[in-house]
Amino acid sequence: MQIKAMASETRMKILQLLVKPQTHFGQQWSADPVEFGVCMTLIAEALEVAQPTASRHLEILRQAGFISVRKHQKWSYCKRNEDVIQDYLAWLGRALSAAG
C-alpha cells in the first residue's frame, strides 16, 4: 500500500505541502495547521482539484499511514506522520541497496 501511495504525483505534492503547513496553509483560521493539521478543503484548493478527488488521494495516504486524519466539528484535518514516512524511506533505501 505504501508503494502505491507514493506512486502518484498528486500524493507526493500533498506530502510536500504538508512538510511546511504554516507556509502553505497559514490562512487556515479554524485550527493551527502545524499542531492540528490542515483542513482537507484547503488541500483540495492548493491542488486545484475537486474535494472528492483530494479526499480519494488523502484516503490512500491515510491507509498507507503517511498521514493522520483528525475530525473537528464538520471538518477533517490532515497531518504528516513523520515516523511512518521515515520508516518507509529507510526501508526503501535498504531495499534498493539490497537489489544491487
Side-chain angles (χ1 to χ4, degrees), residues 18-35:
L18 292 177
V19 167
K20 296 181 180 174
Q22 189 64 42
T23 300
H24 299 291
F25 302 101
Q27 77 276 22
Q28 178 173 285
W29 57 267
S30 56
D32 183 324
V34 175
E35 293 299 317

Side-chain angles (χ1 to χ4, degrees), residues 56-99:
R56 189 172 66 250
H57 286 295
L58 291 164
E59 178 59 19
I60 291 169
L61 289 171
R62 188 198 63 75
Q63 288 176 1
F66 293 137
I67 64 169
S68 60
V69 178
R70 175 193 271 184
K71 294 190 185 288
H72 178 65
Q73 297 177 357
K74 63 179 182 174
W75 295 290
S76 295
Y77 296 84
C78 302
K79 186 174 182 178
R80 284 173 49 119
N81 186 337
E82 297 298 338
D83 290 339
V84 173
I85 292 169
Q86 291 306 314
D87 288 347
Y88 172 77
L89 293 174
W91 169 83
L92 185 60
R94 289 190 306 273
L96 292 174
S97 297

Side-chain angles (χ1 to χ4, degrees), residues 2-60:
Q2 289 182 322
I3 291 173
K4 176 185 175 183
M6 292 295 194
S8 160
E9 285 183 42
T10 300
R11 291 188 288 275
M12 291 292 291
K13 179 72 173 174
I14 291 168
L15 291 174
Q16 290 167 345
L17 289 170
L18 292 177
V19 167
K20 296 181 180 174
Q22 189 64 42
T23 300
H24 299 291
F25 302 101
Q27 77 276 22
Q28 178 173 285
W29 57 267
S30 56
D32 183 324
V34 175
E35 293 299 317
F36 204 81
V38 175
C39 181
M40 285 185 178
T41 302
L42 294 178
I43 294 170
E45 288 174 7
L47 296 172
E48 299 179 343
V49 299
Q51 182 74 34
T53 301
S55 293
R56 189 172 66 250
H57 286 295
L58 291 164
E59 178 59 19
I60 291 169

